[in-house]
Amino acid sequence: MKLATLLLAALMATTHAGEVRVTKKGEGWELLRDGRPYLVKGGGGSRELASIARAGGNSVRLWGDEGLGETLDSAQKLGLTVCAGIWLGQVRQGFKWNDAASLERQQKHVREVVEKYKSHPALLCWALGNEMEDPQGKNTDVWKGIESLAAMVKQLDPNHPTMTVVAEIGGEKVQNIHKLCPTLDLVGINSYAGSASLPERYRKAGGTKPYLLTEYGPAGVWETQRDALGAYPEPTSTAKAETYRRAYQAAVLGAPDLCLGSYAFLWGQKQEVTATWFSLFLTDGSRLAGVDAIGALWNGRPPEHPCPTIEPLKIDSTVGKPGAVIHAQLQASSPTKEPLKVEWYFQQDPGEYGNGNDAQAAPPILHEVVVKGDLTGAEIKLPSDGGLYRLFAIVRDAHGGAAAANTSVRVDAPKAMPTKGAKATLPLRLYGEGGAPATYIPAGWMGDTKAIQIDPANATQPHTGRECMRCEFSAEKGWGGVVWQNPANDWGSQGGGYDLTGAKRLTFWARGEQGGEVVSFEYGIIEKKQRFPDTGSGSLPRVKLTKEWERYEIPVSGQDLTRIKTGFVWTTQGAGKPVVFYLDDIQWE
């Protein structure tokens, strides 16, 4: 016993405090933290850290470095580690991985983050980017860029592993990572419907590096077939719990030589397709059965108060005319016979779900449609507007547990043109620290798009916080611009947008790199001739920027703000040299 204690003390003496290593173990791999084996048992998202610890987990994953310091401190108090994500430019958003200036700015940002947090005792590893590759992983510039960053990070911080995170492993992703990124210690893989077969597919693709299952959960809509109504059927929270269990058993426990742990998605709440599709929690913090299933795998025991179970909803008619009454049947129970309560609500189905896993605005809820409802079922009177809807049943117990199910209903009538967007809570931040996720996305690139570069995480003298947005138009002639849209990539053919009624002003801060840059700013550019136009507009034409930060305001007085789909726009013209400027703290007040 004394000898073992002395050997352990000697090992610790030669190990840097908080050191994390990826090492060979027989024919496979092992993660060591402070010299001890460490299987990652984690959740993705920073909003429910205490619940990770309560469930027997040990780690949390972040996608970007905003709020990293606060999360590291909170995790340390709870005995958790942090997989520190650093957001990198994405191919789908137009980032050019062969542009030297863009890569230099990105490298500078990565360096600053690593140098600032590399000694934090809660740090587990560095995750360089998330799904920034092209769909088939053929763009070798991406992998060469990742390798360059990984080499720099290893030099700055030799005590923590590096990895990059990819969306599944199709195409040439595995081959190119192994060939072009030798410095990476780990491969992070986001896998949903394919998670159970991931180890087999990874080996067949030539994968020999150890991996972390960095996202797993229910199948996404991209992996799901529409039903006869044109809707994507969502499994119940009870069924999803089994999905989480199978994925963990197959992809993590089933490949101990390659898989060093996992992060369940999403350890929090997010509106994506629905408010419950990927969420392990409800908006009020109630946990769903997936948390129980994952926790039982982590700590080897079931929860004291398991979540309610719920069966798929049954309705007597999936299609009806306006005013028709339909009935839904509910089967839900508590495994420990706890008393339950139920909430019923009826909600428009968004129909369009965006791309890139961006969160979305929640569609309106029609409270008046539910005539009555209890734990046996509900009576619904269909609304006058046609289209696709979802009926939700949310069952809760007295111990913070919940169950969720929904089913689709189509109203057989013309679909009314929505005249309003989702009601926004003001102030609404479009960019800057503290901004709400998924409001308006800078996805609408106009003019000479090849000459446009935007870096949303630039650390060059931000107005507030740690970052600002760098914008560049490099063409000597012509024009270009970027539109903040909701939905992303829509120019008037889809609903969406936000009801900004009550806003008094649209403000932002801007500065030029050299001073004298001329840029026009506006909002509401989708014209009335489109099916879903902006209801109001305003502009600040030809603003001459200075080298210092200045606050600007676009007037909104007298405008109809009930549906603003393009919440912010900048445009500029070629000036014989690149036009470079910075934006920060864009918000509707």
Side-chain angles (χ1 to χ4, degrees):
M1 188 67 178
K2 291 182 179 179
L3 179 59
T5 302
L6 290 172
L7 289 173
L8 178 60
L11 175 63
M12 294 300 294
T14 59
T15 302
H16 183 278
E19 182 182 69
V20 182
R21 296 285 186 193
V22 177
T23 64
K24 288 289 291 182
K25 181 184 179 182
E27 297 298 318
W29 299 90
E30 186 174 44
L31 192 66
L32 299 178
R33 182 169 183 255
D34 289 331
R36 299 183 179 92
Y38 192 88
L39 177 66
V40 178
K41 304 173 182 178
S46 61
R47 296 183 183 180
E48 300 284 347
L49 297 189
S51 65
I52 294 178
R54 286 196 299 268
N58 59 16
S59 193
V60 58
R61 180 196 170 200
L62 301 182
W63 289 263
D65 57 276
E66 183 174 340
L68 175 56
E70 294 86 345
T71 302
L72 284 164
D73 291 343
S74 298
Q76 175 69 10
K77 294 176 182 177
L78 293 165
L80 305 176
T81 61
V82 178
C83 172
I86 304 179
W87 193 260
L88 301 180
Q90 296 193 327
V91 170
R92 73 181 182 91
Q93 294 179 339
F95 187 85
K96 297 179 176 65
W97 281 85
N98 59 358
D99 180 78
S102 298
L103 295 177
E104 183 179 352
R105 289 191 298 270
Q106 183 165 259
Q107 186 180 60
K108 180 175 181 288
H109 175 70
V110 172
R111 175 183 291 274
E112 290 171 347
V113 174
V114 172
E115 288 182 335
K116 185 173 183 179
Y117 297 111
K118 64 182 181 180
S119 298
H120 199 289
L123 179 64
L124 180 70
C125 64
W126 297 106
L128 301 173
N130 180 77
E131 300 186 1
M132 62 279 137
E133 75 279 5
D134 60 289
Q136 296 300 312
K138 295 183 178 181
N139 187 338
T140 57
D141 290 329
V142 174
W143 310 119
K144 292 175 182 177
I146 294 295
E147 170 62 16
S148 177
L149 292 173
M152 179 190 71
V153 172
K154 294 296 285 186
Q155 184 178 24
L156 295 171
D157 179 13
N159 298 310
H160 297 96
T162 60
M163 73 172 177
T164 195
V165 179
V166 295
E168 263 293 348
I169 57 170
E172 300 176 13
K173 297 179 186 182
V174 175
Q175 298 93 317
N176 278 332
I177 287 174
H178 283 70
K179 178 181 177 181
L180 301 175
C181 303
T183 303
L184 288 178
D185 300 293
L186 296 160
V187 181
I189 304 171
N190 297 340
S191 180
Y192 291 87
S195 56
S197 63
L198 181 60
E200 179 184 2
R201 292 186 293 113
Y202 184 67
R203 295 180 203 274
K204 284 184 177 180
T208 57
K209 284 181 181 286
Y211 69 82
L212 287 176
L213 182 60
T214 39
E215 291 180 20
Y216 68 101
V221 293
W222 62 92
E223 301 167 311
T224 305
Q225 295 295 317
R226 291 183 188 264
D227 61 19
L229 295 179
Y232 290 108
E234 179 180 348
T236 67
S237 57
T238 302
K240 290 179 196 173
E242 180 62 17
T243 299
Y244 282 103
R245 187 187 66 81
R246 288 198 306 266
Y248 189 91
Q249 288 179 326
V252 181
L253 302 182
D257 58 326
L258 278 176
C259 186
L260 305 185
S262 63
Y263 292 95
F265 187 86
L266 174 72
W267 204 275
Q269 194 279 328
K270 178 186 183 184
Q271 174 74 34
E272 187 175 341
V273 188
T274 71
T276 54
W277 194 291
F278 292 105
S279 304
L280 282 162
F281 292 80
L282 300 178
T283 54
D284 65 354
S286 299
R287 77 183 193 283
L288 295 168
V291 175
D292 290 353
I294 296 165
L297 289 163
W298 285 346
N299 59 40
R301 62 181 185 275
E304 182 180 358
H305 299 285
C307 288
T309 62
I310 192 168
E311 296 295 320
L313 299 179
K314 296 180 180 180
I315 55 175
D316 54 14
S317 181
T318 59
V319 180
K321 296 288 186 182
V325 175
I326 63 173
H327 299 87
Q329 296 179 26
L330 170 64
Q331 285 186 289
S333 62
S334 166
T336 53
K337 309 303 180 184
E338 303 280 355
L340 301 175
K341 296 181 179 180
V342 64
E343 173 193 2
W344 292 90
Y345 65 92
F346 199 73
Q347 188 176 37
Q348 291 180 352
D349 188 281
E352 301 293 336
Y353 306 106
N355 55 46
N357 298 326
D358 297 319
Q360 299 124 18
I365 294 175
L366 286 67
H367 295 284
E368 69 282 1
V369 170
V370 181
V371 178
K372 59 182 180 180
D374 56 27
L375 282 166
T376 64
E379 182 177 300
I380 310 297
K381 185 176 182 180
L382 297 182
S384 58
D385 292 342
L388 192 62
Y389 296 83
R390 287 182 190 257
L391 173 64
F392 287 80
I394 308 295
V395 177
R396 294 180 173 88
D397 63 23
H399 301 283
N406 70 72
T407 190
S408 298
V409 178
R410 183 171 290 281
V411 178
D412 185 13
K415 186 174 182 178
M417 290 286 197
T419 58
K420 294 184 178 181
K423 183 60 181 175
T425 300
L426 299 173
L428 183 67
R429 183 68 65 94
L430 277 65
Y431 177 83
E433 272 74 1
T439 52
Y440 294 95
I441 310 298
W445 292 29
M446 307 182 297
D448 185 355
T449 58
K450 293 182 179 180
I452 298 172
Q453 283 280 346
I454 58 173
D455 178 3
N458 192 277
T460 307
Q461 300 176 8
H463 173 250
T464 58
R466 299 188 304 275
E467 300 169 349
C468 59
M469 176 174 286
R470 183 185 187 276
C471 306
E472 177 178 345
F473 182 70
S474 58
E476 295 184 357
K477 300 179 180 180
W479 71 281
V482 175
V483 185
W484 273 247
Q485 302 169 306
N486 183 284
N489 304 307
D490 172 63
W491 299 94
S493 62
Q494 302 177 31
Y498 284 88
D499 180 357
L500 298 168
T501 301
K504 303 300 182 185
R505 61 193 68 85
L506 168 56
T507 65
F508 62 96
W509 290 77
R511 68 176 180 87
E513 187 165 74
Q514 302 296 328
E517 293 85 354
V518 177
V519 186
S520 296
F521 301 97
E522 56 189 321
Y523 71 90
I525 66 170
I526 300 179
E527 300 175 345
K528 297 295 188 290
K529 64 182 181 180
Q530 300 299 325
R531 187 182 183 196
F532 298 101
D534 284 295
T535 55
S537 63
S539 65
L540 280 180
R542 297 189 60 78
V543 175
K544 182 177 284 190
L545 301 177
T546 68
K547 291 184 67 174
E548 304 300 323
W549 286 106
E550 291 193 25
R551 179 183 179 276
Y552 297 91
E553 180 177 320
I554 301 179
V556 303
S557 177
Q559 293 293 316
D560 178 0
L561 303 178
T562 53
R563 183 177 62 210
I564 300 301
K565 300 183 63 185
T566 53
F568 183 74
V569 184
W570 67 258
T571 57
T572 190
Q573 293 184 326
K577 61 180 181 179
V579 177
V580 179
F581 61 98
Y582 299 84
L583 298 170
D584 208 347
D585 298 324
I586 308 169
Q587 71 175 4
W588 286 79
E589 308 174 349

